[in-house]
mmCIF file of all heavy atoms in Angstrom:
data_model
loop_
_atom_site.group_PDB
_atom_site.id
_atom_site.type_symbol
_atom_site.label_atom_id
_atom_site.label_comp_id
_atom_site.label_asym_id
_atom_site.label_seq_id
_atom_site.Cartn_x
_atom_site.Cartn_y
_atom_site.Cartn_z
ATOM 1 N N TYR M 86 -84.366 37.789 -41.919
ATOM 2 C CA TYR M 86 -84.940 38.949 -42.614
ATOM 3 C C TYR M 86 -83.859 39.816 -43.250
ATOM 4 O O TYR M 86 -82.695 39.760 -42.865
ATOM 5 C CB TYR M 86 -85.743 39.808 -41.634
ATOM 6 C CG TYR M 86 -87.019 39.163 -41.189
ATOM 7 C CD1 TYR M 86 -87.021 38.294 -40.099
ATOM 8 C CD2 TYR M 86 -88.199 39.387 -41.856
ATOM 9 C CE1 TYR M 86 -88.197 37.680 -39.690
ATOM 10 C CE2 TYR M 86 -89.386 38.783 -41.450
ATOM 11 C CZ TYR M 86 -89.369 37.929 -40.368
ATOM 12 O OH TYR M 86 -90.529 37.328 -39.965
ATOM 13 N N LEU M 91 -83.957 47.629 -45.222
ATOM 14 C CA LEU M 91 -85.058 48.515 -44.852
ATOM 15 C C LEU M 91 -84.683 49.974 -45.045
ATOM 16 O O LEU M 91 -85.484 50.797 -45.446
ATOM 17 C CB LEU M 91 -85.413 48.313 -43.375
ATOM 18 C CG LEU M 91 -86.468 47.296 -43.020
ATOM 19 C CD1 LEU M 91 -86.773 47.408 -41.552
ATOM 20 C CD2 LEU M 91 -87.714 47.516 -43.841
ATOM 21 N N LEU M 96 -89.018 46.461 -48.668
ATOM 22 C CA LEU M 96 -89.949 45.808 -47.753
ATOM 23 C C LEU M 96 -89.168 44.872 -46.848
ATOM 24 O O LEU M 96 -88.093 44.405 -47.211
ATOM 25 C CB LEU M 96 -90.970 44.989 -48.537
ATOM 26 C CG LEU M 96 -91.899 45.737 -49.492
ATOM 27 C CD1 LEU M 96 -92.860 44.759 -50.140
ATOM 28 C CD2 LEU M 96 -92.662 46.841 -48.778
ATOM 29 N N LEU M 97 -89.723 44.601 -45.670
ATOM 30 C CA LEU M 97 -89.092 43.627 -44.782
ATOM 31 C C LEU M 97 -89.618 42.243 -45.142
ATOM 32 O O LEU M 97 -90.815 41.976 -45.035
ATOM 33 C CB LEU M 97 -89.407 43.934 -43.320
ATOM 34 C CG LEU M 97 -88.639 43.067 -42.310
ATOM 35 C CD1 LEU M 97 -87.151 43.379 -42.359
ATOM 36 C CD2 LEU M 97 -89.163 43.263 -40.905
ATOM 37 N N GLN M 98 -88.711 41.398 -45.605
ATOM 38 C CA GLN M 98 -89.154 40.082 -46.059
ATOM 39 C C GLN M 98 -88.255 38.982 -45.528
ATOM 40 O O GLN M 98 -87.091 39.215 -45.215
ATOM 41 C CB GLN M 98 -89.146 40.044 -47.590
ATOM 42 C CG GLN M 98 -90.338 40.782 -48.167
ATOM 43 C CD GLN M 98 -90.180 41.112 -49.628
ATOM 44 O OE1 GLN M 98 -89.066 41.336 -50.099
ATOM 45 N NE2 GLN M 98 -91.277 41.133 -50.342
ATOM 46 N N ASP A 90 -91.286 52.530 -40.140
ATOM 47 C CA ASP A 90 -91.687 52.837 -41.507
ATOM 48 C C ASP A 90 -91.537 54.326 -41.794
ATOM 49 O O ASP A 90 -91.120 54.738 -42.864
ATOM 50 C CB ASP A 90 -93.142 52.416 -41.726
ATOM 51 C CG ASP A 90 -93.544 52.540 -43.178
ATOM 52 O OD1 ASP A 90 -93.072 51.717 -43.972
ATOM 53 O OD2 ASP A 90 -94.291 53.477 -43.515
ATOM 54 N N SER A 307 -95.764 48.957 -32.401
ATOM 55 C CA SER A 307 -94.858 48.552 -33.481
ATOM 56 C C SER A 307 -93.423 48.343 -32.994
ATOM 57 O O SER A 307 -92.581 47.860 -33.750
ATOM 58 C CB SER A 307 -94.894 49.579 -34.615
ATOM 59 O OG SER A 307 -94.609 50.863 -34.117
ATOM 60 N N LYS A 310 -91.443 44.964 -33.297
ATOM 61 C CA LYS A 310 -92.177 44.188 -34.304
ATOM 62 C C LYS A 310 -91.205 43.522 -35.276
ATOM 63 O O LYS A 310 -91.528 42.507 -35.871
ATOM 64 C CB LYS A 310 -93.120 45.129 -35.079
ATOM 65 C CG LYS A 310 -94.283 44.428 -35.729
ATOM 66 C CD LYS A 310 -95.328 44.081 -34.712
ATOM 67 C CE LYS A 310 -96.468 43.275 -35.284
ATOM 68 N NZ LYS A 310 -97.431 42.923 -34.249
ATOM 69 N N THR A 311 -90.046 44.109 -35.467
ATOM 70 C CA THR A 311 -89.115 43.550 -36.452
ATOM 71 C C THR A 311 -88.127 42.573 -35.822
ATOM 72 O O THR A 311 -87.200 42.129 -36.490
ATOM 73 C CB THR A 311 -88.317 44.682 -37.132
ATOM 74 O OG1 THR A 311 -87.693 45.463 -36.124
ATOM 75 C CG2 THR A 311 -89.211 45.564 -37.961
ATOM 76 N N SER A 312 -88.322 42.234 -34.558
ATOM 77 C CA SER A 312 -87.400 41.310 -33.902
ATOM 78 C C SER A 312 -87.519 39.903 -34.490
ATOM 79 O O SER A 312 -88.590 39.291 -34.445
ATOM 80 C CB SER A 312 -87.699 41.268 -32.397
ATOM 81 O OG SER A 312 -87.234 40.061 -31.849
ATOM 82 N N LEU A 316 -90.548 37.349 -34.156
ATOM 83 C CA LEU A 316 -91.297 37.026 -35.373
ATOM 84 C C LEU A 316 -91.345 35.515 -35.605
ATOM 85 O O LEU A 316 -92.293 34.988 -36.156
ATOM 86 C CB LEU A 316 -90.660 37.722 -36.584
ATOM 87 C CG LEU A 316 -91.028 39.205 -36.732
ATOM 88 C CD1 LEU A 316 -90.063 39.905 -37.658
ATOM 89 C CD2 LEU A 316 -92.443 39.373 -37.239
ATOM 90 N N GLY A 321 -94.255 35.158 -38.860
ATOM 91 C CA GLY A 321 -93.181 35.763 -39.644
ATOM 92 C C GLY A 321 -93.604 36.907 -40.528
ATOM 93 O O GLY A 321 -92.763 37.630 -41.057
ATOM 94 N N LYS A 322 -94.888 37.067 -40.736
ATOM 95 C CA LYS A 322 -95.406 38.208 -41.483
ATOM 96 C C LYS A 322 -96.861 38.439 -41.093
ATOM 97 O O LYS A 322 -97.435 37.607 -40.391
ATOM 98 C CB LYS A 322 -95.251 37.973 -42.978
ATOM 99 C CG LYS A 322 -96.092 36.851 -43.549
ATOM 100 C CD LYS A 322 -95.794 36.773 -45.043
ATOM 101 C CE LYS A 322 -96.863 36.038 -45.809
ATOM 102 N NZ LYS A 322 -96.617 36.015 -47.239
ATOM 103 N N PRO A 323 -97.459 39.562 -41.525
ATOM 104 C CA PRO A 323 -98.823 39.836 -41.079
ATOM 105 C C PRO A 323 -99.781 38.706 -41.457
ATOM 106 O O PRO A 323 -99.733 38.196 -42.571
ATOM 107 C CB PRO A 323 -99.194 41.118 -41.833
ATOM 108 C CG PRO A 323 -97.903 41.772 -42.141
ATOM 109 C CD PRO A 323 -96.925 40.665 -42.365
ATOM 110 N N TYR A 353 -102.643 42.937 -48.289
ATOM 111 C CA TYR A 353 -102.497 41.491 -48.424
ATOM 112 C C TYR A 353 -101.876 40.912 -47.149
ATOM 113 O O TYR A 353 -101.007 41.534 -46.538
ATOM 114 C CB TYR A 353 -101.602 41.166 -49.618
ATOM 115 C CG TYR A 353 -102.212 41.581 -50.935
ATOM 116 C CD1 TYR A 353 -102.086 42.899 -51.400
ATOM 117 C CD2 TYR A 353 -102.936 40.669 -51.698
ATOM 118 C CE1 TYR A 353 -102.661 43.288 -52.590
ATOM 119 C CE2 TYR A 353 -103.514 41.056 -52.894
ATOM 120 C CZ TYR A 353 -103.378 42.365 -53.334
ATOM 121 O OH TYR A 353 -103.960 42.755 -54.512
ATOM 122 N N GLY A 372 -99.946 46.889 -35.061
ATOM 123 C CA GLY A 372 -98.523 47.176 -34.912
ATOM 124 C C GLY A 372 -97.659 46.811 -36.105
ATOM 125 O O GLY A 372 -96.481 47.152 -36.123
ATOM 126 N N TRP A 373 -98.195 46.117 -37.086
ATOM 127 C CA TRP A 373 -97.396 45.808 -38.269
ATOM 128 C C TRP A 373 -97.110 47.099 -39.032
ATOM 129 O O TRP A 373 -98.013 47.873 -39.300
ATOM 130 C CB TRP A 373 -98.129 44.831 -39.190
ATOM 131 C CG TRP A 373 -98.440 43.511 -38.574
ATOM 132 C CD1 TRP A 373 -99.651 43.125 -38.067
ATOM 133 C CD2 TRP A 373 -97.553 42.399 -38.397
ATOM 134 N NE1 TRP A 373 -99.554 41.836 -37.576
ATOM 135 C CE2 TRP A 373 -98.285 41.370 -37.771
ATOM 136 C CE3 TRP A 373 -96.214 42.169 -38.714
ATOM 137 C CZ2 TRP A 373 -97.721 40.135 -37.446
ATOM 138 C CZ3 TRP A 373 -95.660 40.942 -38.388
ATOM 139 C CH2 TRP A 373 -96.407 39.943 -37.761
ATOM 140 N N GLU A 374 -95.875 47.276 -39.390
ATOM 141 C CA GLU A 374 -95.517 48.469 -40.166
ATOM 142 C C GLU A 374 -95.861 48.212 -41.631
ATOM 143 O O GLU A 374 -95.837 47.059 -42.085
ATOM 144 C CB GLU A 374 -94.010 48.716 -40.051
ATOM 145 C CG GLU A 374 -93.525 48.892 -38.631
ATOM 146 C CD GLU A 374 -93.299 50.345 -38.278
ATOM 147 O OE1 GLU A 374 -93.802 51.226 -39.003
ATOM 148 O OE2 GLU A 374 -92.621 50.593 -37.279
ATOM 149 N N PRO A 375 -96.124 49.289 -42.377
ATOM 150 C CA PRO A 375 -96.432 49.077 -43.797
ATOM 151 C C PRO A 375 -95.363 48.278 -44.550
ATOM 152 O O PRO A 375 -95.679 47.555 -45.489
ATOM 153 C CB PRO A 375 -96.536 50.500 -44.340
ATOM 154 C CG PRO A 375 -96.985 51.302 -43.179
ATOM 155 C CD PRO A 375 -96.338 50.681 -41.969
ATOM 156 N N PHE A 376 -94.098 48.375 -44.104
ATOM 157 C CA PHE A 376 -93.066 47.658 -44.869
ATOM 158 C C PHE A 376 -93.143 46.138 -44.714
ATOM 159 O O PHE A 376 -92.393 45.415 -45.351
ATOM 160 C CB PHE A 376 -91.665 48.189 -44.585
ATOM 161 C CG PHE A 376 -91.214 48.158 -43.146
ATOM 162 C CD1 PHE A 376 -91.204 46.986 -42.411
ATOM 163 C CD2 PHE A 376 -90.761 49.334 -42.532
ATOM 164 C CE1 PHE A 376 -90.772 46.960 -41.099
ATOM 165 C CE2 PHE A 376 -90.324 49.328 -41.215
ATOM 166 C CZ PHE A 376 -90.337 48.134 -40.503
ATOM 167 N N PHE A 377 -94.045 45.654 -43.888
ATOM 168 C CA PHE A 377 -94.245 44.210 -43.807
ATOM 169 C C PHE A 377 -95.171 43.712 -44.927
ATOM 170 O O PHE A 377 -95.268 42.523 -45.172
ATOM 171 C CB PHE A 377 -94.916 43.843 -42.480
ATOM 172 C CG PHE A 377 -93.970 43.702 -41.328
ATOM 173 C CD1 PHE A 377 -93.867 44.696 -40.368
ATOM 174 C CD2 PHE A 377 -93.187 42.567 -41.195
ATOM 175 C CE1 PHE A 377 -93.008 44.552 -39.295
ATOM 176 C CE2 PHE A 377 -92.332 42.413 -40.119
ATOM 177 C CZ PHE A 377 -92.239 43.413 -39.170
ATOM 178 N N TYR A 378 -95.901 44.655 -45.528
ATOM 179 C CA TYR A 378 -96.973 44.250 -46.439
ATOM 180 C C TYR A 378 -96.566 44.406 -47.897
ATOM 181 O O TYR A 378 -95.801 45.306 -48.246
ATOM 182 C CB TYR A 378 -98.210 45.127 -46.223
ATOM 183 C CG TYR A 378 -98.912 44.947 -44.910
ATOM 184 C CD1 TYR A 378 -98.586 45.746 -43.815
ATOM 185 C CD2 TYR A 378 -99.923 44.016 -44.768
ATOM 186 C CE1 TYR A 378 -99.249 45.600 -42.605
ATOM 187 C CE2 TYR A 378 -100.609 43.877 -43.569
ATOM 188 C CZ TYR A 378 -100.266 44.670 -42.493
ATOM 189 O OH TYR A 378 -100.930 44.541 -41.303
ATOM 190 N N LYS A 379 -97.145 43.561 -48.701
ATOM 191 C CA LYS A 379 -96.959 43.629 -50.146
ATOM 192 C C LYS A 379 -97.302 45.041 -50.635
ATOM 193 O O LYS A 379 -98.335 45.604 -50.275
ATOM 194 C CB LYS A 379 -97.930 42.626 -50.772
ATOM 195 C CG LYS A 379 -97.747 42.376 -52.235
ATOM 196 C CD LYS A 379 -98.629 41.168 -52.557
ATOM 197 C CE LYS A 379 -98.804 40.956 -54.028
ATOM 198 N NZ LYS A 379 -99.669 39.787 -54.262
ATOM 199 N N ARG A 381 -96.112 47.740 -49.812
ATOM 200 C CA ARG A 381 -96.071 48.711 -48.720
ATOM 201 C C ARG A 381 -97.448 49.254 -48.368
ATOM 202 O O ARG A 381 -97.608 50.374 -47.900
ATOM 203 C CB ARG A 381 -95.141 49.882 -49.100
ATOM 204 C CG ARG A 381 -94.237 50.305 -47.959
ATOM 205 C CD ARG A 381 -93.439 51.553 -48.290
ATOM 206 N NE ARG A 381 -92.674 51.965 -47.130
ATOM 207 C CZ ARG A 381 -91.439 51.557 -46.860
ATOM 208 N NH1 ARG A 381 -90.798 50.751 -47.679
ATOM 209 N NH2 ARG A 381 -90.814 51.975 -45.778
#
Side-chain angles (χ1 to χ4, degrees):
Chain M
Y86 289 87
L91 269 188
L96 297 182
L97 187 67
Q98 283 164 329
Chain A
D90 188 72
S307 55
K310 203 77 185 178
T311 54
S312 157
L316 280 163
K322 66 180 199 177
Y353 295 84
W373 299 101
E374 302 259 17
F376 58 56
F377 276 104
Y378 292 92
K379 190 169 167 180
R381 223 186 176 90

